[in-house]
Amino acid sequence: MVEPVMGTEDDVVGSRVVAFVLDHVVSFVGAVALGVAFALPFGEAGIWLGVPLGLFGYFVVLEGLFGQTVGKKLTGVVVVRRSGEPCGMGASVVRNLLRLVDGFLSYAVGLVVMLLTDDRQRIGDLAADTVVVRAR
């Protein structure tokens, strides 16, 4: 398990932005692949199921199980509970469901909220009681 460095929320804003870009490229490629795989047995409906499932599942599963997506791992950050405990699946589902709100205006809402909160939390983090910190 990745060891978080608590108290480094202010230091990771740039890393979070880079991780965001990397993760959206990786998740998009994976989601399209999943959509195509679902389309083979289910036709066009499989694409409509597979792509959103792949996009959402990428973040939920990786952050829930490991605290890190590919982008977060490459940039050296990890999602944890404010207590320092692992994020877990429940918190991961909550923080990622709220990407729908954070994502308004090309994620400007999430970025502004993150810059205005003391622990650099976006709306999903506030609801899930999570923070993103440096990984040791």
Side-chain angles (χ1 to χ4, degrees), residues 1 8-9 18 41 43 46 107 111 120-122:
M1 189 61 160
T8 59
E9 297 86 353
V18 172
Y107 277 88
L111 182 61
R120 302 298 178 233
Q121 295 168 288
R122 59 181 182 78

Side-chain angles (χ1 to χ4, degrees), residues 3-136:
E3 185 180 345
V5 180
M6 300 308 291
T8 59
E9 297 86 353
D10 285 341
D11 302 337
V12 299
V13 174
S15 296
R16 286 183 75 171
V17 171
V18 172
F20 168 87
V21 172
L22 294 171
D23 283 331
H24 280 79
V25 170
V26 172
S27 66
F28 178 77
V29 170
V32 169
L34 189 62
V36 169
F38 275 37
L40 296 176
F42 303 114
E44 186 178 334
I47 294 172
W48 291 104
L49 175 64
V51 170
L53 186 63
L55 289 172
F56 181 67
Y58 170 82
F59 291 97
V60 169
V61 171
L62 292 178
E63 290 176 357
L65 293 178
F66 308 109
Q68 293 179 303
T69 55
V70 172
K72 286 179 181 68
K73 183 161 184 65
L74 290 173
T75 58
V77 297
V78 61
V79 180
V80 294
R81 303 288 233 147
R82 283 169 64 89
S83 63
E85 297 173 32
C87 177
M89 291 304 287
S92 183
V93 167
V94 170
R95 86 184 292 274
N96 286 295
L97 275 175
L98 286 165
R99 282 184 183 279
L100 296 171
V101 177
D102 284 317
F104 282 138
L105 303 173
S106 298
Y107 277 88
V109 169
L111 182 61
V112 168
V113 171
M114 184 173 55
L115 293 173
L116 293 176
T117 57
D118 289 339
D119 289 329
R120 302 298 178 233
Q121 295 168 288
R122 59 181 182 78
I123 295 169
D125 291 314
L126 291 166
D129 199 33
T130 56
V131 291
V132 179
V133 296
R134 287 256 168 253
R136 190 172 318 274

